[in-house]
Amino acid sequence: MKKYLVTGGTGFIGAACVRQLLAEGHGVRVIDNNSRGAARRLTDLAGSVEMVEADIRDSAAMVRAAEGMDAILHLAYVNGTEYFYTKPELILDVAVRGMLAVLDACRAHGIRELVLASSSEVYQTAPKIPTDESVPLTVPDVLNPRFSYGGGKLICELMAVNYGRTGFDRVMIFRPHNVYGPDMGGEHVIPQFSRRLAGLCASQSSGVIDFSIQGTGQETRSFIYIDDFVEGLMTVLRHGSHLGIYHIGTQEEVTVAELARLTASCLGREIRVVPGSLQPGSTPRRCPDISRLRLLGFTPRLTLSEGLNRTVPWYASHP
């Protein structure tokens, strides 16, 4: 069993990972400033997990938090599509300064395992769907603030790999593809669809609901439920190789229009999708090839419909 320092451990994904690491017998220490996460997600684990409230850009705090650890699971970042456009400088600052602080902490204590959370956003508009891990990473337009997110993740990957060539036994990168579930925050498409539809259902008690979306509705994504995601990450931790890069997602590609209809069906309603304009830089299709992770023994269990039936009602009851 190992002792893990989890950055961003009070976030949606972080808290789920902390729970699973503890369930498997590992020791866990969390560092998070709770600017995006919420300490309440782990309150029931008081006494089982060490909590450090600090900013990961604070190198001295990171070095202190990493003392006695065997591995660092680096999840902390600023996510949520709305922040790509409104806070690009913050995203890049957390990306670069945070990654440097994590690497400083590893070297200060001789920590020889580092696992980095990257993102499907590093591909932007991938030339191949499903997309495998060998597809080139791109920043199509440095003038578009959206690409601060994918660009920051790309920088983190470069730093992890190139710093990790010496002094580490295992450096691994995973790229999540649209993780969702209850209590994931409100800045993502499934929570936003769920809450908007719940409000429209309340104001229109019967009949077909007109539901506006961004884009034509034919844009696609693939989504992975949080429980499946955590199992995918645990598979990487158990079996991943040094300098290995792994997609964690599903190959169930769905259009945005169908996602809206599935969300409405969880609330027992029918909708009429009303297309709208896309924000500049939005990707028309995204779906990962997860063959590499399958070779390590991972298979997603939940369909999108099953996951939405666990998620949408939660958001409808938490306005």
Side-chain angles (χ1 to χ4, degrees), residues 80-93:
T81 306
E82 65 183 63
Y83 297 121
F84 301 179
Y85 295 95
T86 61
K87 297 185 177 182
E89 73 288 356
L90 174 62
I91 288 173
L92 288 166
D93 196 56

Side-chain angles (χ1 to χ4, degrees), residues 74-116:
H74 183 31
L75 302 171
Y77 207 73
V78 180
N79 63 359
T81 306
E82 65 183 63
Y83 297 121
F84 301 179
Y85 295 95
T86 61
K87 297 185 177 182
E89 73 288 356
L90 174 62
I91 288 173
L92 288 166
D93 196 56
V94 170
V96 177
R97 294 180 192 271
M99 192 70 214
L100 283 170
V102 167
L103 290 165
D104 286 345
C106 288
R107 293 192 166 178
H109 297 293
I111 297 171
R112 302 185 66 86
E113 181 169 326
L114 171 62
V115 184
L116 171 67

